[in-house]
Amino acid sequence: MKILATLLLLLWAACCPSANVPPPRVEKFSIAGKEYVRLDQWARANSFQLTWISKQDAVLLKGATRIEFTAESKRMSVNGVLVILSEAVRNFNGTPCMASLDLTTALQPLLFPPKGRPRSTVKHICIDPGHGGKQAGYLAGKETEKKHTLLLAMELGAQLRQAGYTVSYTRTADTLIDLGERPEIARRRGADLFVSLHFNSAGYTSADIRGVEVYCMTPPRASSTNARGEGGNSGAYLGNLNNARNMVLAYELQKAITRGTGLEDRGVKRARFEVLREAQMPAVLIEGGFMSNPSEARKIFSPVWRKQMAQAIAAGIGSYRRIVEP
């Protein structure tokens, strides 16, 4: 019975990511084997204004909300924050169309975010410093990724406690914790959110690549941002129980970090990382800058910048909390 209940929950999460999303009332049709919706119809149904601003660029407007996208591109900007879609927006006979899956798991959760159960709160944050022990992560001279994820985790934890949160960690020393064990630690401790901290790299020959990206769990039947189009036939995992909240959390963190640190916006992305697949609470993985970029590496190694980064992450968690708490 427990397995059946979990499967039913996963199916519900995949099909109904937000209880607050209005009825679609739009035509659905197939383009190259993928289900799409006409954004002009969706805009009318949801009181948005749709306007082409160039031959390939369009914008959805409603009050202070501005959503920009480009035909034949997966890049969508929501109030100035980049979100990478699973499928490209298509220009179909002069009408912009978005994949149904992106509409329900990316755009609508941000416009109509889900609220928690009555009296539910976002109180306990489990912080996961990436790597550890024999798994050093990226190496920049004598500096290791595992060292700086732990330093950032400690700074973030201190700031969250000061703000009134309960904080726990998957590791507090230079130890290696199995990837699958990390979200399980969060579950056992009753965490409301799981935040995994990492720093990025573009290899040893791409020193000019920079910026921050926040990953949340890939929805069922979608390809991950980092999978080069693969994974479209993947089913549901426990991490898909919180598809809508995952997206809202990732978006609020991406917005807060880019605006609070000045790091280049590389977008909200989706991946089936093991720590996200098995998380039973809203979960994200933050790639907080490139250690392979000399200028960003100097920031990452700086205690002053580390405090600034932690402040931005804490601000993003606070924004998420205000949005989803009833």
Side-chain angles (χ1 to χ4, degrees):
M1 289 297 294
K2 183 177 180 181
I3 294 175
L4 178 60
T6 300
L7 290 173
L8 289 173
L9 280 171
L10 288 169
L11 179 61
W12 177 88
C15 298
C16 306
S18 173
N20 294 339
V21 175
R25 305 195 303 275
V26 294
E27 174 187 358
K28 297 181 180 181
F29 60 100
S30 179
I31 301 177
K34 302 287 185 179
E35 185 180 82
Y36 276 76
V37 298
R38 291 176 46 142
L39 285 177
D40 57 345
Q41 294 179 350
W42 182 91
R44 286 193 296 271
N46 293 279
S47 302
F48 275 81
Q49 178 184 352
L50 174 66
T51 304
W52 284 104
I53 55 179
S54 74
K55 290 183 178 180
Q56 290 292 92
D57 299 308
V59 60
L60 285 165
L61 295 172
K62 182 180 181 180
T65 301
R66 182 182 180 91
I67 303 146
E68 301 176 50
F69 46 86
T70 300
E72 311 310 322
S73 170
K74 296 181 180 181
R75 295 167 66 88
M76 174 178 70
S77 172
V78 180
N79 292 332
V81 179
L82 179 62
V83 177
I84 307 299
L85 301 171
S86 296
E87 302 291 339
V89 172
R90 306 296 294 271
N91 184 343
F92 188 69
N93 295 331
T95 300
C97 302
M98 180 177 286
S100 297
L101 185 142
D102 283 320
L103 187 69
T104 57
T105 65
L107 181 57
Q108 289 187 162
L110 298 179
L111 299 177
F112 314 107
K115 292 290 185 179
R117 296 183 301 275
R119 296 182 297 278
S120 64
T121 60
V122 178
K123 180 71 174 177
H124 184 158
I125 316 300
C126 183
I127 306 172
D128 173 43
H131 305 286
K134 64 182 181 181
Q135 190 182 88
Y138 187 78
L139 302 175
K142 295 182 179 180
E143 301 293 344
T144 62
E145 184 181 355
K146 66 176 182 178
K147 169 186 172 181
H148 291 281
T149 58
L150 184 57
L151 288 171
L152 177 59
M154 295 297 107
E155 178 63 41
L156 174 58
Q159 294 195 27
L160 288 173
R161 285 195 179 101
Q162 189 174 10
Y165 294 90
T166 300
V167 175
S168 62
Y169 304 91
T170 57
R171 69 179 179 97
T172 57
D174 185 15
T175 54
L176 179 61
I177 308 296
D178 289 342
L179 293 176
E181 178 66 12
R182 294 174 187 241
E184 176 61 18
I185 290 171
R187 185 198 65 78
R188 289 199 303 264
R189 294 176 181 171
D192 300 305
L193 298 180
F194 177 85
V195 179
S196 189
L197 302 177
H198 289 255
F199 294 106
N200 222 331
S201 69
Y204 294 92
T205 59
S206 302
D208 57 331
I209 298 178
R210 66 184 68 213
V212 60
E213 49 198 30
V214 179
Y215 285 86
C216 61
M217 181 63 185
T218 309
R221 302 179 302 281
S223 60
S224 296
T225 313
N226 63 341
R228 299 178 182 178
E230 299 174 1
N233 296 321
S234 295
Y237 292 86
L238 285 173
N240 293 121
L241 286 167
N242 292 291
N243 277 339
R245 289 176 175 82
N246 291 338
M247 173 55 67
V248 176
L249 177 59
Y251 174 85
E252 291 302 321
L253 285 167
Q254 184 74 11
K255 178 172 67 175
I257 294 170
T258 53
R259 296 178 181 178
T261 67
L263 288 174
E264 182 178 317
D265 182 3
R266 291 178 57 85
V268 174
K269 301 182 176 182
R270 265 88 76 90
R272 292 185 176 92
F273 297 135
E274 189 169 353
V275 293
L276 301 181
R277 287 202 311 263
E278 304 304 323
Q280 297 186 41
M281 67 292 297
V284 293
L285 186 146
I286 299 171
E287 293 280 8
F290 280 74
M291 286 180 64
S292 55
N293 180 292
S295 64
E296 284 197 348
R298 285 192 293 271
K299 293 178 180 178
I300 292 167
F301 304 155
S302 165
V304 174
W305 185 87
R306 186 160 55 243
K307 183 175 182 179
Q308 183 183 5
M309 180 66 160
Q311 288 172 338
I313 296 172
I317 291 172
S319 294
Y320 169 83
R321 180 181 186 176
R322 289 188 292 274
I323 289 169
V324 302
E325 281 191 349

